[in-house]
Amino acid sequence: MGLFTLSEAQAELARLLPVLDEIVRLRADAAELAVGSSSLGGLPEFKAAQARLDELMEAVQQTGAELKGFAPLLVDFPSEMDGVPVLLCWLEGDRTLSWYHRADLGIAGRRPLPTE
């Protein structure tokens, strides 16, 4: 889908935050439903939660962002800094996009975005 500028990625993240929050909530519900004897329901509710999770994760991917982790939730936005391929990195718990890592390093190379 191409590369995101920082401002494009920040705007996309703002639109995605409700979706990401729902993924986190449904992930917890599905985990509880999977072990059984839940006040949330049984197998039909578990299957419904899984189907909704699939829809939400597809919605994230359709933006051009890359869903890299599920627990914890990790979303990368392909970008470039000074001619170097990077991924603008959002990790579950973040409310803003303020980290990046080189595309070849992964999350272990995660650094704060430079302030301008």
Side-chain angles (χ1 to χ4, degrees):
M1 284 204 145
L3 301 177
F4 287 86
T5 65
L6 178 56
S7 61
E8 289 168 342
Q10 289 169 328
E12 193 60 53
L13 176 62
R15 286 188 290 275
L16 282 174
L17 278 174
V19 173
L20 299 171
D21 289 342
E22 187 176 353
I23 290 172
V24 170
R25 183 186 59 76
L26 277 170
R27 182 188 66 204
D29 288 353
E32 184 176 329
L33 287 163
V35 297
S37 66
S38 169
S39 63
L40 298 174
L43 185 59
E45 289 78 12
F46 175 69
K47 288 186 176 199
Q50 283 185 314
R52 181 66 179 147
L53 279 169
D54 288 344
E55 289 172 9
L56 294 169
M57 291 186 297
E58 179 65 26
V60 171
Q61 300 274 40
Q62 296 229 343
T63 67
E66 301 173 0
L67 191 57
K68 294 285 185 82
F70 185 64
L73 198 56
L74 175 62
V75 179
D76 286 337
F77 297 86
S79 189
E80 194 172 294
M81 292 176 79
D82 301 322
V84 176
V86 299
L87 297 168
L88 304 173
C89 182
W90 178 88
L91 182 61
E92 183 178 326
D94 294 346
R95 296 316 290 170
T96 61
L97 189 60
S98 52
W99 297 86
Y100 79 99
H101 55 83
R102 285 186 4 203
D104 61 339
L105 293 180
I107 196 166
R110 192 174 192 236
R111 299 177 181 272
L113 284 167
T115 55
E116 297 178 317

